[in-house]
């Protein structure tokens, strides 16, 4: 007898969910997301080319040029990352 198994549906994350997910990448708890933290986080999500994507994302969203993403800059980072189509199943 076959078991009933629901189909998995991919649901894209909205910006607020992405912000929450990105904030979890802050492993040292300083309130800022470095390129390394972003790379490790993206790799944990299974994204290909995580290092390159992290480099481009920080370069795009880092308004003051300090090399990290602060809480004020996370909105721009979430908008940029949302283009990648990250979804949950």
């Amino acid at each position: 007898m076959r078991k009933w198994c629901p189909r998995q549906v991919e649901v894209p994350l909205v910006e607020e969910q992405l912000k929450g997910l990105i904030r979890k990448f802050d492993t040292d708890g300083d309130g800022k997301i470095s390129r390394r933290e972003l790379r490790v986080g993206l790799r944990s999500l299974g994204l290909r080319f995580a290092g390159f994507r992290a480099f481009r994302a920080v370069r795009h969203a880092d308004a003051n040029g300090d090399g990290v993403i602060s809480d004020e800059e996370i909105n721009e980072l979430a908008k940029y990352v949302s283009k990648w189509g990250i979804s949950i199943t």
Side-chain angles (χ1 to χ4, degrees), residues 3 12 18 20 22 30 35 43 48 52 56 64 68 74:
K3 284 186 174 181
L18 274 173
I22 292 168
D30 65 351
R35 189 172 74 201
R43 189 173 290 148
R48 296 178 58 182
F52 177 73
R56 293 293 303 257
N64 61 3
V68 294
I74 202 162

Side-chain angles (χ1 to χ4, degrees), residues 13-34 36-42 44-45 69-79 81 86:
L13 296 175
V14 295
E15 272 187 46
E16 288 302 316
Q17 292 170 321
L18 274 173
K19 286 185 218 176
L21 181 64
I22 292 168
R23 283 188 179 107
K24 290 181 182 181
F25 296 162
D26 180 21
T27 55
D28 60 3
D30 65 351
K32 298 176 182 175
I33 299 164
S34 68
R36 181 186 170 283
E37 289 172 327
L38 186 58
R39 182 188 75 230
V40 170
L42 294 175
S44 73
L45 295 176
I69 303 299
S70 63
D71 201 38
E72 295 83 28
E73 298 165 332
I74 202 162
N75 291 333
E76 190 61 34
L77 180 63
K79 287 178 188 175
V81 170
I86 297 174

Side-chain angles (χ1 to χ4, degrees), residues 7-13 86-89:
R7 293 184 182 198
Q8 290 186 349
V9 178
E10 289 189 11
V11 178
L13 296 175
I86 297 174
S87 59
I88 56 173
T89 55

